Amino acid sequence: MSDKPEPTVRLSVFKTYKLYVGGKFPRSESGRVYEVTDSKDRPLANAPQGSRKDARDAVVAARKAFGGWSGATAYNRGQVLYRVAEMLEGRADQFTREVAEAEGLSRAKAAAQVSAAVDRWVWYAGWTDKIAQVAGGANPVAGPFFNLSSPEPTGVVAVLAPQRSSLLGLVSVLAPVLATGCTAVAVASEDRPLPALTLGEVLATSDVPGGAVNILSGRTAELAAPLAAHQDVNAIDLTGAPAELAVELERAAADNLKRVLRPADAEGDGEDFTADPGIRRLTPFLETKTVWHPTGSLGVSGSAY
């Protein structure tokens, strides 16, 4: 008989992720989780299945953070976004593994997606103090006045992340919201939420104020409905909403005249997130303030409309 010990058989201990709300990592209010699998249907981890209450809590956190984030200088917001890129770069190996498993990519292709996501943060960090010059300006008027228009953040933005592009797509829709001074409640890809939940861990260790970004996972339709109808949400990005759901959400968003960014196609999957993003995702979440100021000897102060 052999004296060698029998090999030990052990079960893998899968990580149970948490939501990212208000700068903290709570469990779902309902206590529910769901199994996340890779592209070959092998179990990877457990993700929290957020509820309507979690969505409402995330909006409260985003509204609370809005004053401080929107009141920060554009230059400072750029520094914070660049810091996120630095932290993401430092965890590139982990993100590469998660993206490869989630999307069924080779390690090389997943690494390229992660690199593009880092570059996307840097791109929008550079735009924070430049978008005002592009979206605003001086307006000619018939009278002794200066007439100046300047863009301002619209408020709390609900973001439905792309369903297939688990990291690059998420960053592409989330970073411009932050760059403009808005705060965000992001709903991660339903079947591929792990890179988004790990991004929450990056944000928590960066300089992003708690509540400026909130990340939920779970059933997209269940989380999107209360966000679209919420009276304290000012805008919604429907990129990750299937066509039929998007129509329902648009109707709900009309109740308080939310700004709505419609998906490129049924699930946002037709959009090439590797392409130059330009500024088209910056302007939908800006509102224009116009200030009139007298010139010459008029003895009245300026007014804003």
Side-chain angles (χ1 to χ4, degrees):
M1 296 180 61
S2 173
D3 293 332
K4 293 182 179 179
E6 292 293 327
T8 301
V9 178
R10 62 181 297 275
L11 297 176
S12 298
V13 178
F14 295 110
K15 179 177 179 177
T16 298
Y17 287 74
K18 295 182 181 180
L19 306 173
Y20 181 57
V21 177
K24 300 178 181 179
F25 295 94
R27 301 181 187 275
S28 171
E29 172 271 339
S30 65
R32 298 176 299 174
V33 298
Y34 67 102
E35 186 179 72
V36 179
T37 59
D38 65 12
S39 58
K40 297 181 179 179
D41 208 32
R42 294 174 297 200
L44 293 174
N46 299 307
Q49 187 173 332
S51 66
R52 298 172 67 91
K53 176 65 163 55
D54 294 317
R56 293 194 297 268
D57 289 345
V59 174
V60 170
R63 176 58 62 189
K64 185 177 180 181
F66 177 68
W69 183 244
S70 63
T73 65
Y75 179 73
N76 178 247
R77 288 199 298 269
Q79 290 179 310
V80 172
L81 265 61
Y82 190 83
R83 177 62 176 165
V84 175
E86 292 178 335
M87 298 297 290
L88 184 56
E89 183 86 62
R91 297 178 67 165
D93 287 344
Q94 178 184 359
F95 278 102
T96 296
R97 173 176 55 79
E98 289 185 346
V99 170
E101 292 172 339
E103 301 181 23
L105 301 176
S106 67
R107 183 170 179 82
K109 290 183 177 179
Q113 293 281 311
V114 174
S115 295
V118 174
D119 293 345
R120 192 58 43 86
W121 279 113
V122 175
W123 170 270
Y124 284 113
W127 270 104
T128 55
D129 59 356
K130 299 174 182 65
I131 189 62
Q133 289 92 332
V134 175
N139 310 309
V141 294
F145 298 95
F146 286 126
N147 184 267
L148 306 174
S149 294
S150 60
E152 294 195 343
T154 193
V156 175
V157 180
V159 177
L160 307 185
Q163 295 298 327
R164 294 186 182 178
S165 186
S166 58
L167 179 64
L168 178 57
L170 170 68
V171 171
S172 297
V173 297
L174 179 60
V177 173
L178 295 178
T180 55
C182 297
T183 53
V185 177
V187 178
S189 166
E190 184 171 325
D191 296 326
R192 305 171 180 183
L194 301 189
L197 296 172
T198 300
L199 180 62
E201 298 174 3
V202 167
L203 295 170
T205 54
S206 303
D207 298 326
V208 180
V213 183
N214 305 274
I215 299 178
L216 307 175
S217 62
R219 307 307 177 206
T220 300
E222 181 181 357
L223 293 169
L227 292 175
H230 202 296
Q231 298 297 297
D232 211 19
V233 172
N234 304 103
I236 185 167
D237 183 341
L238 299 176
T239 296
E244 185 175 342
L245 176 61
V247 172
E248 296 177 7
L249 298 177
E250 281 192 86
R251 292 196 188 103
D255 193 45
N256 72 331
L257 303 179
K258 288 180 179 65
R259 291 170 176 262
V260 177
L261 184 61
R262 294 166 178 78
D265 69 348
E267 293 181 339
D269 298 322
E271 185 168 351
D272 181 8
F273 291 109
T274 63
D276 183 339
I279 63 169
R280 69 180 189 84
R281 285 193 172 274
L282 289 167
T283 53
F285 307 125
L286 290 172
E287 297 183 4
T288 301
K289 179 180 75 174
T290 300
V291 177
W292 295 72
H293 197 286
T295 58
S297 57
L298 291 178
V300 293
S301 60
S303 59
Y305 296 93

